[in-house]
Amino acid sequence: MTTDTPRLRPPHHRVDPRAVRWWTTRSLITTVALAVVPVVPALIWEPVRPWFLVAAAVIAVAGLLVTFVMPQWRYRVHRWEVTDTAVYASSGWFWQEWRVAPMSRIQTVDTARGPLQRAFGLSSVTVTTASAAGPIEIAGLDHVLATRVADQLTETTQAVPGDAT
Amino acid sequence: MTTAQRPPTDHPLGDWQGLSPLSVWADTAVGALFIVPAAIVGTVVLIVLDLPWWALAPLPGALALIGGLTALDMTVLKAVSYRVTDERMEMRSGVLAKTYRSVPRERVRSVDVAAPVYARPFGLCIVTVGTGEQVGSESDQVKLQFVTAAQGERLRRELLYRDPPTAVGAEGADGAEGAADADGLELARLDRRWFAYAPATTATLGIGIGAVAALIGANAQSEGWIHRWISERTGLPGSAEIGAFVMARLLFVVPAALFGLLLSGTVVLVAVAVETWWDYRLTRESNGTVVMRRGLLNSQSLTIEGRRLNGVTLHEPLVLRAVGGADVRAVATGLGAADAEKTQAKSRLCPPMPRARARELAADLMRTPESPLDLPLTAHPRAALRRRLVRAGWASLAGFAVAAGLAWLHTLAAAAWWDAAHEIEERLNPLPVATHLVEAAPPWGWWLLGAAFAAVAFWYAVGSHRALGHGLHPRYLVVRQGMAVRDTVTLERSAVIGWRITRTPFQRRAGLAHVSATTASGKGMYTAADVGLGQGLAWAGLAVPDLLSQFLERDGGERPEDPRARG
């Protein structure tokens, strides 16, 4: 194209720092749950015990590695921004994703909080458009802030004309 | 429904109507077609088994079953009613759990009228109304099964026809779309020569192989009984003799077998194409809707609202492309089916035809002075080629590893092993030549196979890089990709409802990205794969002004870098 190569600037806001602890806890729970699976037959059936224990150890080590690396990495990547005309969010860690949706095409705005997010006082904002590509999710916002963002989005969306398809 | 529900202030245009009472008879006839023969077979079997009293049961049972189903059908039928008012289409259904569905007419994107072969004698058809929503399951659709052909035709005409002043698209529809052409402009009509393209798929050989595999499978299931029975009746020579005969004349038998397989596949595929595309006509009506009619036994018509036809896909699978053919598919809202495969099948607008004709048809459908498909596309960077070559390299290595393993086993294999293999094959395959062929082949044959595989892998890599491209037309954006199936997609720039950019660690290192336009039409997302990050962002920024551009930074001449620089 031109000599003037555009770059994608990161969205303005980071998510709440508590999200790091949320992701760590979530990953830890998944790791424990997966590692326990081969332990059960190991306890019951003696001849294969060493094999299953090795499998459990491999899963545990891999899971702990992810738990150690992923949350910090995610925290650097996950960002969001709402302008007058669009929503812009980035997410992921190993695989990264940037999403943009114009206000005029937003169909619904929801906030959701699972039990784990609630424990950390966090909330997610989900922005749905008519596309099958899936909604834009801004996860790990402070609960109060998330509600405010959702309200603001709903308000702006209603002010902007368009039938959302 | 996603927009705010308006209070139903509309005046009823039509009264509540029911489905055609004939549908019950159509359903009964179909049911009887399956149940009665089954009952007759049951009766015969019971007589043969010498259970005369039991033999009296199946037929009356079947009749009672059919009667019961018919009665049930009647109740269900009575519960279904629909009406079309100025603003909405409403439908009531359900006997125990009543459902009421209401679709604003401005949300109706397509109307599909199908007359399956069993419904045609009754003059009935099924009407499916497509809306802009993503369909969760089949039951979410508004589907009338069955109404009379006249009712179906009326629904097809009226549902998509709205008076221009209705405040339909608040978003700026292009002026060109509003203007009506002469009524019923014909865009395409079946040319019987096009049937020649029908067998140009990889399935042609597959169908024959599938049939042979099914025969061998059935024979193996019966422990070779089928084959013994046939050879006893017809006086065929024994397996060993035929095997020896085949082995002695390989140069004749192999091509002949291939030819036979191809021929049978061709016959099947041409027959299917004739059934599907007979009487094919594609027209644009005066109100801008695009209508496709087709079908020999099962006739079908699909009507798409012109303004919702947001683009087309020029679809060129490998074999079809090799013989210069292509077909055109719609990128439209409201063609969604339960799964991606059905959506694909539903969006076909024409049979495989010569590429030039397909491009012409696509241009007619898009109504642009210069077709976006004629646009020279920008190639994707060499890094994208490198990624594909690396993948081909890994695949070749894996192929050679497998070849080496097999070659090693081959040299290792002793006579006893071969005997065991022949014995197993003889039990399964009435024509046991496969293991003999393998035994006769030299061990380096495996390496030859590995090399052939590697050559194909690299050819594929280069081809898929050459397929990549993206471009920008004043009204459309264009992306192309795919080696096995090459799809050139044009999408109206006004139909883009967002962008999605994804990068793997490898792409970040190579300065590449997948840049996808999200849309409510078609697949929901169309991707410029492995485009240079700067290149892709510039393209996306230009395609939809004021959307992505506000998040872009420009710095003269520098290489595109990871926007999330470390530190």
Side-chain angles (χ1 to χ4, degrees):
Chain A
M1 296 252 162
T2 48
T3 47
D4 199 35
T5 345
R7 298 189 320 178
L8 205 53
R9 77 167 166 74
H12 275 316
H13 313 290
R14 280 177 190 271
V15 298
D16 197 282
R18 280 172 292 176
V20 175
R21 278 183 282 155
W22 165 48
W23 286 319
T24 311
T25 318
R26 199 178 60 176
S27 170
L28 213 56
I29 291 174
T30 317
T31 307
V32 170
L34 287 179
V36 161
V37 174
V39 170
V40 175
L43 289 180
I44 298 169
W45 199 20
E46 184 141 13
V48 296
R49 187 167 291 170
W51 295 105
F52 277 98
L53 286 180
V54 166
V58 168
I59 293 173
V61 167
L64 286 178
L65 210 65
V66 170
T67 309
F68 192 68
V69 175
M70 180 272 284
Q72 282 300 329
W73 198 343
R74 266 195 195 280
Y75 184 64
R76 276 199 309 208
V77 176
H78 278 243
R79 280 164 170 268
W80 62 278
E81 182 178 343
V82 178
T83 70
D84 290 342
T85 52
V87 179
Y88 177 32
S90 59
S91 61
W93 54 295
F94 204 67
W95 286 274
Q96 299 176 1
E97 182 185 83
W98 291 261
R99 292 285 300 266
V100 180
M103 286 294 174
S104 56
R105 308 304 186 115
I106 291 173
Q107 289 190 327
T108 59
V109 182
D110 306 308
T111 58
R113 38 190 342 213
L116 205 55
Q117 282 206 65
R118 202 179 318 202
F120 290 100
L122 297 171
S123 214
S124 301
V125 176
T126 309
V127 178
T128 319
T129 63
S131 163
I136 299 181
E137 198 188 5
I138 309 169
L141 293 186
D142 175 76
H143 175 51
V144 179
L145 179 64
T147 319
R148 217 165 57 219
V149 170
D151 286 348
Q152 183 205 336
L153 273 173
T154 314
E155 219 166 276
T156 332
T157 316
Q158 275 165 2
V160 178
D163 77 342
T165 52
Chain B
M1 221 87 333
T2 43
T3 43
Q5 294 280 352
R6 280 183 223 156
T9 55
D10 29 298
H11 353 270
L13 180 79
D15 289 329
W16 286 96
Q17 299 187 43
L19 301 180
S20 165
L22 279 175
S23 358
V24 175
W25 296 114
D27 284 338
T28 304
V30 176
L33 222 58
F34 287 102
I35 297 172
V36 171
I40 292 175
V41 169
T43 310
V44 171
V45 167
L46 287 172
I47 290 176
V48 169
L49 290 178
D50 207 18
L51 294 165
W53 288 107
W54 285 104
L56 290 178
L59 270 178
L63 291 182
L65 183 63
I66 292 169
L69 287 177
T70 308
L72 191 69
D73 222 27
M74 206 102 79
T75 343
V76 173
L77 176 97
K78 284 212 180 108
V80 178
S81 58
Y82 72 93
R83 73 169 174 179
V84 180
T85 69
D86 268 349
E87 292 194 0
R88 9 188 100 238
M89 159 147 193
E90 292 164 288
M91 179 180 169
R92 285 182 186 147
S93 61
V95 179
L96 295 178
K98 302 237 181 251
T99 52
Y100 166 76
R101 217 167 287 143
S102 163
V103 182
R105 275 175 69 186
E106 62 174 57
R107 293 217 150 242
V108 175
R109 306 290 191 247
S110 69
V111 180
D112 184 349
V113 181
V117 61
Y118 56 87
R120 284 179 77 177
F122 299 94
L124 297 176
C125 61
I126 304 170
V127 177
T128 313
V129 178
T131 62
E133 293 156 72
Q134 295 302 326
V135 182
S137 67
E138 293 280 346
S139 60
D140 285 351
Q141 287 178 322
V142 176
K143 193 170 178 184
L144 301 173
Q145 187 170 359
F146 302 88
V147 293
T148 61
Q151 274 175 311
E153 178 61 19
R154 224 185 111 202
L155 279 171
R156 188 189 72 69
R157 276 184 186 286
E158 286 181 0
L159 268 178
L160 283 174
Y161 186 76
R162 293 184 287 268
D163 296 319
T166 9
V168 175
E171 101 265 36
D174 297 357
E177 294 282 2
D181 280 275
D183 44 354
L185 178 73
E186 185 173 271
L187 300 174
R189 168 188 286 275
L190 181 74
D191 181 337
R192 284 178 207 169
R193 282 171 295 180
W194 294 345
F195 287 134
Y197 286 106
T201 73
T202 38
T204 314
L205 205 57
I207 286 173
I209 292 176
V212 171
L215 281 180
I216 292 181
N219 187 49
Q221 284 282 316
S222 67
E223 307 259 312
W225 181 84
I226 295 179
H227 177 245
R228 277 201 304 279
W229 188 79
I230 292 176
S231 34
E232 270 168 34
R233 295 291 152 103
T234 54
L236 278 178
S239 303
E241 271 172 74
I242 300 185
F245 179 84
V246 167
M247 291 300 285
R249 290 170 187 75
L250 270 184
L251 278 182
F252 167 74
V253 169
V254 171
L258 270 178
F259 179 76
L261 290 179
L262 277 176
L263 194 70
S264 56
T266 303
V267 168
V268 171
L269 285 169
V270 170
V272 169
V274 168
E275 207 293 302
T276 313
W277 294 106
W278 195 256
D279 260 349
Y280 162 75
R281 274 186 81 206
L282 188 70
T283 49
R284 179 184 284 120
E285 304 206 330
S286 52
N287 57 4
T289 55
V290 172
V291 186
M292 177 180 68
R293 293 189 177 81
R294 62 180 173 82
L296 180 65
L297 301 174
N298 299 289
S299 79
Q300 188 155 23
S301 91
L302 175 69
T303 310
I304 305 170
E305 190 192 349
R307 226 159 32 79
R308 300 297 170 179
L309 186 63
N310 295 125
V312 296
T313 302
L314 188 74
H315 182 78
E316 300 168 281
L318 183 63
V319 184
L320 188 59
R321 191 164 79 231
V323 297
D327 71 62
V328 178
R329 291 167 187 224
V331 175
T333 26
L335 282 185
D339 54 80
E341 207 169 301
K342 277 190 188 153
T343 309
Q344 275 267 323
K346 209 174 167 187
S347 61
R348 285 191 302 177
L349 290 180
C350 70
M353 50 165 78
R355 190 186 290 126
R357 181 72 187 87
R359 295 175 78 102
E360 195 186 311
L361 175 61
D364 285 347
L365 279 166
M366 289 184 282
R367 294 208 263 191
T368 45
E370 53 203 63
S371 169
L373 288 174
D374 294 337
L375 210 68
L377 298 185
T378 315
H380 291 194
R382 290 198 75 77
L385 174 62
R386 220 169 300 133
R387 266 194 100 191
R388 280 159 183 72
L389 289 178
V390 168
R391 272 186 228 152
W394 286 112
S396 314
L397 271 183
F400 276 122
V402 171
L406 288 172
W408 179 68
L409 278 180
H410 197 122
T411 45
L412 209 73
W417 291 30
W418 288 117
D419 288 342
H422 296 328
E423 204 173 304
I424 291 171
E425 201 197 351
E426 261 156 45
R427 214 175 301 154
L428 299 177
N429 187 353
L431 200 65
V433 290
T435 48
H436 287 280
L437 272 178
V438 173
E439 190 183 4
W444 51 261
W446 295 112
W447 291 101
L448 209 63
L449 276 182
F453 178 75
V456 169
F458 279 95
W459 167 73
Y460 192 91
V462 172
S464 43
H465 175 252
R466 281 177 55 184
L468 293 176
H470 64 276
L472 214 52
H473 176 270
R475 266 178 59 206
Y476 288 86
L477 57 86
V478 187
V479 289
R480 186 182 62 199
Q481 79 177 109
M483 176 66 181
V485 175
R486 181 165 301 169
D487 276 336
T488 316
V489 179
T490 68
L491 177 68
E492 249 174 328
R493 287 157 65 167
S494 60
V496 175
I497 59 172
W499 292 97
R500 175 176 186 255
I501 296 135
T502 57
R503 307 184 80 188
T504 66
F506 305 107
Q507 284 178 314
R508 290 202 287 274
R509 221 173 49 192
L512 299 174
H514 287 324
V515 177
S516 318
T518 62
T519 171
S521 300
K523 281 194 219 159
M525 186 163 74
Y526 291 97
T527 304
D530 276 335
V531 68
L533 182 65
Q535 194 185 23
L537 292 176
W539 171 72
L542 284 175
V544 185
D546 306 329
L547 180 53
L548 193 65
S549 30
Q550 56 188 318
F551 306 116
L552 298 181
E553 289 170 337
R554 287 177 188 275
D555 41 8
E558 255 179 59
R559 268 182 59 80
E561 268 173 31
D562 188 348
R564 209 158 308 293
R566 295 288 127 77

